[in-house]
Structure formats: C-alpha cells, structure tokens
Amino acid sequence: SGVEQSPRVSQFHRDGFLVLEQFFSAEECDSMRSQIQGIVAEMEVPPHCRTEFSTREEEQLQAQGSSDYFLTSGDKIRFFFEKGVLDEKGNFLIPKEKSISKIGHALHAHDPVFKQITHSSKVQELGRKLGLERPVVVQSMYIFKVDDSLLAVTPHQDATFLHTEPLGRILGFWIALEDATQENGCLWFIPGSHTNGISRRMVRAASGASTCVEFVGSEPAYDDSQFIPLPINKGGLILIHGEVVHKSDLNSSGSSRHAFTFHVMEAKGTSWSKENWLQPTPELPFPSLYT
C-alpha cells in the first residue's frame, strides 16, 4: 500500500517491537486496576477449575492440556493461578489477589472498562497508522506478575500459540498498568528476531489424546546476550510483532507488575489455524478492532 510510513512504524518493522510511552493516562490505568480488583473480589472458583499456570513445557502440557477450563476460556473471563497457592482441596493458602497469575481471555468482550480500552480511539488510530485494514481482537489477558512470582516467562514467540496463514498477521498490545522495571520483571526482546518464522507450535491434540494440546517443533536455545530489556512507565504501550522473540524474568522487587495485554489479527487475506488452542465461538466471533 502506498501509505507513507512514519519513522516509528519503520522502527517497528525493523525491530519487531515498539515502545510508546504515556500512551494511556494514569487514570485509565487505575480504572483497569480497580475494575480487576472488583472482578477478583467476586471470583468464585469451582474447585475442579483450579488449574495452576506454568510456563515450563511439560507442566504446561499437563496442567493446561488436561484442562478444558483453559481451552474453553477464549470467550469467557477466567482465572489462572500461580503454583502452590491452593491446597489439594482447592482452598487458598495466601490472599487470593496474590494467588492469581492471569485472567483471560475475553476481558475485551465482556468487561466494559477493558472493552473501552481495547477499542479506544487511540488504539484504532494506531492500527490505521500500522496499515491494518480488517483487524480483529482474538484474546486479552490481565497479567499480575506478583512479587516472588515463581513465573519467569521463558523466551517465546506469540505466533507459537496464535498461528495464522500467512504468518506476520498477529500483533500484541502490551500495556503497563504499573512501572515495569528490570527488578519487577519487564519484557526483554531480541531486536529483529521476527523475520525468521517460528520454530514451535502449540496445537490442539487429536481427540482421545491424554492432553488437550501438544507442542510441535522445539524452541531453539536463544543467546541471553541478544536480549535487551524494555523498561516502561505506567501507561506505556509496547507493540509486539507475533514472531518477535521475547521473555520476562522473575519479579524480585517486592511489589507487583500489573499489565493488560491483547492480541489483534489482520483478518484480511488471513486464515486462523483450526489447530490453535483458542477458537472463535458462535457466542464470540473475533470482534472488529474498528468500531
């Protein structure tokens, strides 16, 4: 398309990510935090739904894979817990607001505050600047990253979990609701790593398999020295290309690092993989980003 690219858009295409400080106001961040406090306060978790969230591959397969709760969370608001926060009866061993790893995956559709943020005019304007013609929202997550979180997020590419044909059609919007620092687990990226395709996919397993999802391919060993940290202030937005390699380290700060993130797909000329764990449903087809 003959659209004149701004320097920032060119930078995004070169690096695979873009940091936009002060994209959202402090008030907008606080409204998301207080909204999530209300959601957590009212949370009733049926014991059979208490799945622990883990980023290690085998545990991921075991815990998430055996869990319909995860697989059918695409059009609902559901809760995923840190390891070791529930006893075997499913009771909380620590305050529940500190026990949650993330809430997903349809806050953007079912909650008025998160819906308003996701479809805000500045997000839509950014989509247009990036040349997106038919962007749709595929998922959203509120990530708590609480102190002493056992959760480092190992190096990965989002397209491993959200696969499209062709590749290059997935874009993450990552919003810092508190300052993200190297101490509390900010994101790290390998600049330019979005140009080599993907090496691993998480797919729905054949029916009758012992797990619901499985990994095809393997994550290569990445060179730690290639990652650069992207600390960002409250209200900042990081745009994440679907194939860029990124990670976050443990939070050792003594405080939380809340973030709201959602993923958009350019639907024009794109097919969403039927093997992805997340599937649109009759109740929630992927909504258009542009309203």
Side-chain angles (χ1 to χ4, degrees), residues 17-28:
F17 58 83
L18 183 64
V19 175
L20 299 170
E21 286 280 10
Q22 297 179 322
F23 194 84
F24 288 100
S25 67
E27 294 73 30
E28 286 170 313

Side-chain angles (χ1 to χ4, degrees), residues 214-228:
E214 59 196 7
F215 284 95
V216 178
S218 58
E219 204 66 70
Y222 296 108
D223 173 358
D224 260 353
S225 68
Q226 291 190 301
F227 284 91
I228 63 162

